Amino acid sequence: MAKLLVLHGPNLNLLGTREPDIYGHATLEDIDADLKARAMAKGHELESFQSNAEHELVARVQAIREDDTDFVLINPAAFTHTSVALRDALAAVAVPFIEVHLSNPHRREPFRHSSYFSDLAVGVVAGFGPLSYGLALVAAMRQLDASVE
Ligand code: DQA
């Protein structure tokens, strides 16, 4: 059994009503419940954490040192394009992670085309709406299975 942590950045608490033409109609609760059920079905534990505050996300990442998280899925949201602090926290704990986006930032405004996370990530899944998280979970569980073989 592995421990997975899903981190959601700012404004993702508004999913369902936030620009649904871009982000879809699923709520964050819908997404988290689906991920948890899929992880549990494969015998894994999955916790989700959302914050609008950079320091809370940094603190949650730092806590990985004490809680034995094996793998992280992270949608840093707007912090994707701004947060050296959150990037450094992930680098410090050296946990493998997949960067997730509902939209495809490369099809959007130029300021969304750069990420402080992609070059550290195992991989990036973007552009599939809530399915981006599900695809990232499949990839994470494959990585975890491969690491115990
Ligand atoms: C996002 C893309 C970001 O550019 C944006 O700031 C978000 C959501 C996505 O999931 O598509 O808040 O990360």
Side-chain angles (χ1 to χ4, degrees), residues 9-12 15 18 22-23 75-81 100-105 108-109 111-112 126-127 133:
N11 301 306
L12 294 174
L15 285 180
R18 175 192 181 196
I22 298 175
Y23 298 115
N75 183 348
F79 291 147
T80 306
H81 322 296
V100 181
H101 300 284
L102 295 144
S103 66
N104 176 356
R108 302 180 62 195
E109 304 95 320
F111 68 86
R112 296 185 202 275
Y133 286 97

CSV table of all heavy atoms in Angstrom, one decimal, residues 9-12 15 18 22-23 75-81 100-105 108-109 111-112 126-127 133, ligand 1:
chain,number,residue,atom,x,y,z
A,9,GLY,N,-4.1,24.0,-5.7
A,9,GLY,CA,-3.7,25.4,-5.4
A,9,GLY,C,-4.9,26.3,-5.4
A,9,GLY,O,-6.1,25.9,-5.3
A,10,PRO,N,-4.7,27.6,-5.4
A,10,PRO,CA,-5.7,28.6,-5.2
A,10,PRO,C,-6.8,28.6,-6.3
A,10,PRO,O,-6.6,28.3,-7.5
A,10,PRO,CB,-4.9,30.0,-5.3
A,10,PRO,CG,-3.7,29.6,-6.0
A,10,PRO,CD,-3.3,28.2,-5.7
A,11,ASN,N,-8.0,28.9,-5.8
A,11,ASN,CA,-9.2,29.0,-6.6
A,11,ASN,C,-9.8,27.7,-7.1
A,11,ASN,O,-10.9,27.7,-7.6
A,11,ASN,CB,-9.1,30.0,-7.8
A,11,ASN,CG,-8.6,31.4,-7.3
A,11,ASN,OD1,-9.3,31.9,-6.5
A,11,ASN,ND2,-7.5,31.9,-7.8
A,12,LEU,N,-9.1,26.6,-6.8
A,12,LEU,CA,-9.7,25.3,-7.2
A,12,LEU,C,-10.8,24.9,-6.3
A,12,LEU,O,-11.6,24.0,-6.6
A,12,LEU,CB,-8.5,24.3,-7.3
A,12,LEU,CG,-7.5,24.5,-8.4
A,12,LEU,CD1,-6.4,23.6,-8.4
A,12,LEU,CD2,-8.2,24.5,-9.8
A,15,LEU,N,-14.2,25.2,-8.1
A,15,LEU,CA,-14.5,24.4,-9.2
A,15,LEU,C,-16.0,24.0,-9.2
A,15,LEU,O,-16.5,23.7,-8.1
A,15,LEU,CB,-13.7,23.1,-9.3
A,15,LEU,CG,-12.2,23.3,-9.7
A,15,LEU,CD1,-11.5,21.9,-9.7
A,15,LEU,CD2,-12.1,23.9,-11.1
A,18,ARG,N,-16.6,28.0,-11.2
A,18,ARG,CA,-15.5,28.8,-11.7
A,18,ARG,C,-15.3,28.6,-13.2
A,18,ARG,O,-14.9,27.5,-13.6
A,18,ARG,CB,-14.2,28.5,-10.9
A,18,ARG,CG,-13.0,29.3,-11.5
A,18,ARG,CD,-11.7,28.7,-10.9
A,18,ARG,NE,-10.6,29.4,-11.4
A,18,ARG,CZ,-9.3,29.0,-11.4
A,18,ARG,NH1,-9.0,27.9,-10.9
A,18,ARG,NH2,-8.4,29.8,-11.9
A,22,ILE,N,-14.1,26.7,-19.1
A,22,ILE,CA,-12.6,26.3,-19.1
A,22,ILE,C,-12.4,25.1,-18.2
A,22,ILE,O,-11.7,24.2,-18.6
A,22,ILE,CB,-11.7,27.5,-18.6
A,22,ILE,CG1,-11.9,28.7,-19.5
A,22,ILE,CG2,-10.3,27.1,-18.5
A,22,ILE,CD1,-11.1,30.0,-19.0
A,23,TYR,N,-13.0,25.2,-17.0
A,23,TYR,CA,-12.6,24.2,-16.0
A,23,TYR,C,-13.7,23.1,-15.8
A,23,TYR,O,-13.4,22.1,-15.0
A,23,TYR,CB,-12.3,24.9,-14.6
A,23,TYR,CG,-11.2,25.8,-14.7
A,23,TYR,CD1,-11.3,27.2,-14.6
A,23,TYR,CD2,-9.9,25.3,-15.0
A,23,TYR,CE1,-10.3,28.1,-14.7
A,23,TYR,CE2,-8.8,26.2,-15.1
A,23,TYR,CZ,-9.0,27.6,-14.9
A,23,TYR,OH,-7.9,28.4,-15.0
A,75,ASN,N,-1.9,20.1,-8.6
A,75,ASN,CA,-2.3,21.2,-9.5
A,75,ASN,C,-2.0,22.5,-8.8
A,75,ASN,O,-2.8,22.9,-7.9
A,75,ASN,CB,-3.8,21.1,-9.8
A,75,ASN,CG,-4.2,22.2,-10.9
A,75,ASN,OD1,-3.4,23.1,-11.1
A,75,ASN,ND2,-5.4,22.0,-11.4
A,76,PRO,N,-0.9,23.1,-9.1
A,76,PRO,CA,-0.5,24.3,-8.4
A,76,PRO,C,-1.4,25.5,-8.7
A,76,PRO,O,-1.2,26.6,-8.2
A,76,PRO,CB,1.0,24.6,-8.8
A,76,PRO,CG,1.4,23.3,-9.5
A,76,PRO,CD,0.2,22.7,-10.1
A,77,ALA,N,-2.2,25.3,-9.7
A,77,ALA,CA,-3.1,26.4,-10.2
A,77,ALA,C,-2.3,27.7,-10.6
A,77,ALA,O,-1.2,27.5,-11.2
A,77,ALA,CB,-4.2,26.7,-9.2
A,78,ALA,N,-2.7,28.9,-10.1
A,78,ALA,CA,-1.9,30.1,-10.5
A,78,ALA,C,-0.5,30.0,-10.0
A,78,ALA,O,0.4,30.7,-10.6
A,78,ALA,CB,-2.6,31.3,-10.0
A,79,PHE,N,-0.2,29.3,-8.9
A,79,PHE,CA,1.2,29.2,-8.4
A,79,PHE,C,2.1,28.5,-9.4
A,79,PHE,O,3.3,28.6,-9.2
A,79,PHE,CB,1.2,28.5,-7.0
A,79,PHE,CG,0.6,29.3,-5.9
A,79,PHE,CD1,-0.1,28.7,-4.8
A,79,PHE,CD2,0.6,30.7,-5.9
A,79,PHE,CE1,-0.7,29.4,-3.8
A,79,PHE,CE2,0.0,31.4,-4.8
A,79,PHE,CZ,-0.6,30.8,-3.8
A,80,THR,N,1.5,27.7,-10.3
A,80,THR,CA,2.3,27.1,-11.4
A,80,THR,C,3.3,28.1,-12.0
A,80,THR,O,4.4,27.8,-12.2
A,80,THR,CB,1.4,26.6,-12.5
A,80,THR,OG1,0.4,25.8,-12.0
A,80,THR,CG2,2.2,25.9,-13.6
A,81,HIS,N,2.7,29.3,-12.2
A,81,HIS,CA,3.4,30.3,-13.0
A,81,HIS,C,4.2,31.4,-12.1
A,81,HIS,O,4.8,32.3,-12.6
A,81,HIS,CB,2.4,31.1,-13.9
A,81,HIS,CG,1.4,30.2,-14.4
A,81,HIS,ND1,1.7,29.1,-15.3
A,81,HIS,CD2,0.0,30.1,-14.2
A,81,HIS,CE1,0.6,28.5,-15.6
A,81,HIS,NE2,-0.5,29.0,-14.9
A,100,VAL,N,-0.5,18.5,-12.6
A,100,VAL,CA,-1.8,18.3,-13.2
A,100,VAL,C,-2.5,19.6,-13.5
A,100,VAL,O,-2.4,20.6,-12.7
A,100,VAL,CB,-2.8,17.5,-12.3
A,100,VAL,CG1,-4.1,17.3,-12.9
A,100,VAL,CG2,-2.1,16.2,-11.9
A,101,HIS,N,-3.1,19.7,-14.7
A,101,HIS,CA,-3.9,20.9,-15.0
A,101,HIS,C,-5.2,20.5,-15.7
A,101,HIS,O,-5.2,19.6,-16.6
A,101,HIS,CB,-3.2,21.9,-15.9
A,101,HIS,CG,-2.0,22.4,-15.3
A,101,HIS,ND1,-2.0,23.4,-14.3
A,101,HIS,CD2,-0.7,22.1,-15.5
A,101,HIS,CE1,-0.7,23.6,-14.0
A,101,HIS,NE2,0.1,22.8,-14.7
A,102,LEU,N,-6.3,21.1,-15.3
A,102,LEU,CA,-7.6,20.8,-16.0
A,102,LEU,C,-7.6,21.3,-17.4
A,102,LEU,O,-7.9,20.6,-18.3
A,102,LEU,CB,-8.7,21.5,-15.2
A,102,LEU,CG,-9.0,21.0,-13.8
A,102,LEU,CD1,-9.3,22.1,-12.8
A,102,LEU,CD2,-10.0,19.9,-13.8
A,103,SER,N,-7.1,22.6,-17.6
A,103,SER,CA,-7.0,23.2,-18.9
A,103,SER,C,-5.6,22.9,-19.4
A,103,SER,O,-4.8,22.4,-18.7
A,103,SER,CB,-7.2,24.7,-18.8
A,103,SER,OG,-6.2,25.3,-18.1
A,104,ASN,N,-5.5,23.2,-20.7
A,104,ASN,CA,-4.1,23.1,-21.3
A,104,ASN,C,-3.5,24.5,-21.3
A,104,ASN,O,-3.9,25.3,-22.2
A,104,ASN,CB,-4.2,22.5,-22.7
A,104,ASN,CG,-2.8,22.5,-23.4
A,104,ASN,OD1,-1.8,23.0,-22.8
A,104,ASN,ND2,-2.8,22.0,-24.6
A,105,PRO,N,-2.6,24.8,-20.3
A,105,PRO,CA,-2.1,26.2,-20.2
A,105,PRO,C,-1.4,26.6,-21.5
A,105,PRO,O,-1.4,27.8,-21.8
A,105,PRO,CB,-1.1,26.1,-19.1
A,105,PRO,CG,-1.6,24.9,-18.3
A,105,PRO,CD,-2.1,23.9,-19.3
A,108,ARG,N,-3.5,28.7,-23.8
A,108,ARG,CA,-4.1,29.9,-23.2
A,108,ARG,C,-3.1,31.1,-23.2
A,108,ARG,O,-2.2,31.1,-24.0
A,108,ARG,CB,-4.5,29.6,-21.7
A,108,ARG,CG,-5.5,28.4,-21.8
A,108,ARG,CD,-6.0,28.0,-20.4
A,108,ARG,NE,-6.7,29.1,-19.7
A,108,ARG,CZ,-7.0,29.2,-18.4
A,108,ARG,NH1,-6.6,28.2,-17.6
A,108,ARG,NH2,-7.6,30.2,-17.9
A,109,GLU,N,-3.3,32.1,-22.3
A,109,GLU,CA,-2.5,33.3,-22.4
A,109,GLU,C,-1.0,33.0,-22.2
A,109,GLU,O,-0.6,32.0,-21.5
A,109,GLU,CB,-2.9,34.3,-21.2
A,109,GLU,CG,-4.3,34.6,-21.2
A,109,GLU,CD,-5.2,33.8,-20.2
A,109,GLU,OE1,-4.9,32.5,-20.2
A,109,GLU,OE2,-6.0,34.3,-19.5
A,111,PHE,N,1.3,34.1,-20.3
A,111,PHE,CA,1.8,34.0,-19.0
A,111,PHE,C,1.6,32.6,-18.4
A,111,PHE,O,2.2,32.3,-17.4
A,111,PHE,CB,1.3,35.1,-18.1
A,111,PHE,CG,-0.2,35.0,-17.7
A,111,PHE,CD1,-0.6,34.2,-16.7
A,111,PHE,CD2,-1.1,35.7,-18.5
A,111,PHE,CE1,-2.0,34.2,-16.3
A,111,PHE,CE2,-2.5,35.7,-18.1
A,111,PHE,CZ,-2.9,34.9,-17.1
A,112,ARG,N,0.7,31.8,-19.0
A,112,ARG,CA,0.4,30.5,-18.4
A,112,ARG,C,1.4,29.5,-19.1
A,112,ARG,O,1.3,28.3,-18.8
A,112,ARG,CB,-1.0,30.1,-18.7
A,112,ARG,CG,-2.0,30.9,-17.9
A,112,ARG,CD,-3.4,30.4,-18.1
A,112,ARG,NE,-4.4,31.4,-17.8
A,112,ARG,CZ,-4.8,31.8,-16.6
A,112,ARG,NH1,-4.4,31.1,-15.5
A,112,ARG,NH2,-5.7,32.7,-16.4
A,126,ALA,N,-2.3,17.6,-18.7
A,126,ALA,CA,-3.0,18.9,-18.8
A,126,ALA,C,-4.0,18.8,-20.0
A,126,ALA,O,-3.8,18.2,-21.0
A,126,ALA,CB,-2.1,20.0,-19.1
A,127,GLY,N,-5.2,19.5,-19.8
A,127,GLY,CA,-6.1,19.7,-20.9
A,127,GLY,C,-7.3,18.8,-21.0
A,127,GLY,O,-8.1,18.9,-21.9
A,133,TYR,N,-6.8,14.6,-13.7
A,133,TYR,CA,-6.4,14.0,-12.4
A,133,TYR,C,-6.4,12.5,-12.4
A,133,TYR,O,-5.6,11.8,-11.9
A,133,TYR,CB,-7.3,14.5,-11.3
A,133,TYR,CG,-7.2,15.9,-10.9
A,133,TYR,CD1,-8.0,16.9,-11.4
A,133,TYR,CD2,-6.3,16.2,-9.9
A,133,TYR,CE1,-7.9,18.2,-11.0
A,133,TYR,CE2,-6.1,17.5,-9.4
A,133,TYR,CZ,-6.9,18.5,-10.0
A,133,TYR,OH,-6.8,19.8,-9.6
B,1,DQA,C1,-4.9,25.6,-13.9
B,1,DQA,C2,-4.2,26.5,-15.0
B,1,DQA,C3,-3.6,27.7,-14.3
B,1,DQA,O1,-3.1,28.6,-15.3
B,1,DQA,C4,-4.7,28.5,-13.6
B,1,DQA,O2,-4.1,29.6,-12.9
B,1,DQA,C5,-5.5,27.7,-12.7
B,1,DQA,C6,-5.9,26.3,-13.1
B,1,DQA,C7,-5.6,24.4,-14.5
B,1,DQA,O3,-5.9,23.4,-13.8
B,1,DQA,O4,-6.0,24.4,-15.7
B,1,DQA,O5,-5.9,28.1,-11.6
B,1,DQA,O6,-3.8,25.0,-13.1
